[in-house]
Amino acid sequence: MTDTVTTNLLDLDRAGLVDFFSARGEKAFRATQVMKWVYGQGVTDFGQMTNISKGLRGELQAAATLAMPTVVADNLSDDGSRKWLLQMADGNCIEAVFIPEAERGTLCVSSQVGCMLNCSFCSTATQGFNRNLSTGEIIAQLWVAARALGQTSDGERRISNVVMMGMGEPLLNYDNVVRAMGIMLDDYGYGLSKRRITLSTAGVVPMLKQLREDCDVSLAVSLHAPDDLLRNQLVPLNKKYPIRELLDACKDYVGEGRRRVTFEYVMLAGINDSDAHARQLVRCLEGVPAKVNLIPFNPFPETRYQRSSNNRIQRFFEILNGAGVVTITRKTRGDDIDAACGQLAGEFRDRTRRRERAQNISGMTNQ
Ligand code: SAH
């Protein structure tokens, strides 16, 4: 009988690889051997894995793959940010972005093809949703970027940080995201520390408890509004998990230690950026170990929002800072190549038919 089902080994973390090899009567160390080749050396051709016996290499060629996406575009921003458009085997495209800074290099990784959450100020939302990314498709973003950046296992680590802040809601693709983060943390994977991986969520409250148990990486939460009425409009998921529940879950997540949750707050002119909003935000975060990240809104075609003025952002910053809330204003990076927060769109077929529905609605009102 011929085995026609091939396993993409990128979908397996170390424990999964150990199982895969033991099912073939192989020792556990085969798992780390393969991981060193793939993630350390960037080798995906089983034929080149010279410390593995010829027989086993042949077996792997028949039973397994190391399927990498195709790089369809590779854009470099004037500020050094770099964005890759990656095509998966099924034709869907997603984006990953590298942001170099003096002290670190951060890779912004996507977790889904599109997004289901429909936040009103996000470009990914206007594109709709297609599907979850597999573990392999998530970890492949690091592999492609590391290779393109010339990162080697013994050399300088160009990707020192990962943020799960690309396309999609990571907590709605929980298992694959956690497994991929496991590979990022593994010494035979990318050897990152939990502190250097940040998962950003719009606030899927029940999964936060689970995440704390499974893989308590740094947490960022897309807050964007200090009250439920406004947040319902900006982040519709708030109707299901309102601010108070979300903040309680955040407190539990960081516990008594010294860790803080980063709250992202996109600055939308005339919407959520007044002095009163800032003061309300201070009150809202009382008792929560918080850091606030003010993100100047990045526009995209057909958006109804505008970015707050620099003066307004500065004033908002001062109110928070003056009240003792640790606040930073995020520098906009990569906007000349549409790689900034909220500008990632990829290319894929929307399965929710959101665009069509939106067009029908506007068609109706135009008549
Ligand atoms: N779904 C997750 C992961 C996406 S992270 C989440 O919501 O956190 C992307 C970050 O960029 C989020 O904080 C998001 O709110 C923010 N963002 C989205 N659109 C933006 C835009 N147009 N300008 C600036 N920031 C935006």
Side-chain angles (χ1 to χ4, degrees):
M1 203 180 79
T2 51
D3 185 358
T4 48
V5 184
T6 56
T7 306
N8 182 3
L9 298 190
L10 297 178
D11 284 331
L12 307 180
D13 56 11
R14 199 191 317 176
L17 285 170
V18 168
D19 288 348
F20 173 86
F21 282 110
S22 73
R24 293 185 150 62
E26 292 287 335
K27 294 257 162 57
F29 71 86
R30 295 294 182 205
T32 50
Q33 273 183 325
V34 167
M35 288 182 82
K36 278 197 216 168
W37 280 113
V38 177
Y39 304 115
Q41 306 295 318
V43 170
T44 53
D45 175 0
F46 294 119
Q48 287 179 36
M49 301 184 180
T50 47
N51 57 357
I52 295 176
S53 72
K54 266 215 170 121
L56 180 55
R57 275 187 256 162
E59 230 183 278
L60 288 175
Q61 270 155 347
T65 59
L66 287 161
M68 291 299 170
T70 312
V71 179
V72 259
D74 179 346
N75 291 304
L76 190 61
S77 158
D78 292 339
D79 66 20
S81 309
R82 193 164 163 183
K83 181 174 83 167
W84 294 273
L85 182 65
L86 304 174
Q87 186 168 46
M88 315 290 134
D90 67 355
N92 281 314
C93 291
I94 51 132
E95 298 183 320
V97 180
F98 179 68
I99 307 133
E101 287 170 290
E103 300 298 316
R104 59 180 169 211
T106 304
L107 189 70
C108 179
V109 169
S110 294
S111 56
Q112 296 181 313
V113 182
C115 191
M116 292 202 288
L117 293 183
N118 215 6
C119 299
S120 60
F121 53 88
C122 180
S123 157
T124 303
T126 64
Q127 300 266 312
F129 175 78
N130 187 285
R131 65 172 173 87
N132 281 334
L133 291 177
S134 65
T135 300
E137 289 165 336
I138 298 169
I139 204 68
Q141 297 171 58
L142 272 90
W143 190 91
V144 168
R147 293 258 339 228
L149 295 165
Q151 175 167 310
T152 54
S153 54
D154 44 0
E156 177 192 3
R157 210 179 262 172
R158 303 248 173 152
I159 302 171
S160 63
N161 293 59
V162 167
V163 291
M164 299 301 303
M165 290 187 189
M167 296 165 65
E169 167 51 50
L171 292 186
L172 292 181
N173 182 14
Y174 186 81
D175 291 343
N176 292 340
V177 164
V178 166
R179 204 176 299 116
M181 293 195 303
I183 301 171
M184 296 175 203
L185 293 167
D186 195 308
D187 285 342
Y188 294 100
Y190 288 100
L192 297 176
S193 70
K194 281 184 186 164
R195 219 166 29 89
R196 290 183 176 275
I197 299 179
T198 302
L199 182 144
S200 179
T201 179
V204 188
V205 167
M207 299 321 286
L208 284 174
K209 199 164 169 219
Q210 190 69 40
L211 186 68
R212 183 176 197 248
E213 281 166 28
D214 295 338
C215 190
D216 62 336
V217 293
S218 302
L219 181 66
V221 169
S222 294
L223 191 60
H224 307 312
D227 68 80
D228 283 322
L229 214 60
L230 181 55
R231 193 165 190 267
N232 285 347
Q233 289 170 27
L234 300 176
V235 183
L237 183 67
N238 193 69
K239 293 177 201 153
K240 203 159 177 192
Y241 306 116
I243 293 177
R244 206 59 257 167
E245 272 180 43
L246 175 58
L247 294 181
D248 285 346
C250 289
K251 276 199 262 185
D252 290 345
Y253 189 88
V254 290
E256 296 297 316
R258 277 184 304 170
R259 298 207 300 170
R260 291 168 197 267
V261 176
T262 300
F263 291 96
E264 294 154 294
Y265 197 100
V266 61
M267 297 298 288
L268 303 166
I271 304 285
N272 65 352
D273 66 346
S274 70
D275 288 2
H277 288 123
R279 286 192 289 266
Q280 215 181 341
L281 182 59
V282 170
R283 282 197 300 277
C284 170
L285 293 178
E286 253 165 44
V288 184
K291 245 183 330 199
V292 173
N293 221 325
L294 300 178
I295 314 174
F297 171 66
N298 293 307
F300 53 89
E302 295 168 43
T303 181
R304 61 190 133 119
Y305 296 114
Q306 285 177 340
R307 177 184 295 185
S308 309
S309 69
N310 288 345
N311 284 344
R312 186 87 298 273
I313 297 176
Q314 182 58 26
R315 174 83 187 126
F316 202 92
F317 170 90
E318 280 160 13
I319 293 174
L320 294 178
N321 209 37
V325 179
V326 181
T327 308
I328 63 158
T329 303
R330 194 182 284 177
K331 254 196 262 145
T332 297
R333 300 287 303 263
D335 53 344
D336 55 336
I337 54 167
D338 284 345
C341 301
Q343 292 184 319
L344 301 188
E347 283 167 21
F348 55 89
R349 194 168 59 85
D350 176 23
R351 285 170 182 271
T352 64
R353 308 180 74 190
R354 186 175 294 156
R355 284 211 141 199
E356 250 171 72
R357 284 196 314 240
Q359 267 156 15
N360 285 342
I361 291 165
S362 60
M364 267 152 41
T365 49
N366 283 344
Q367 278 164 11

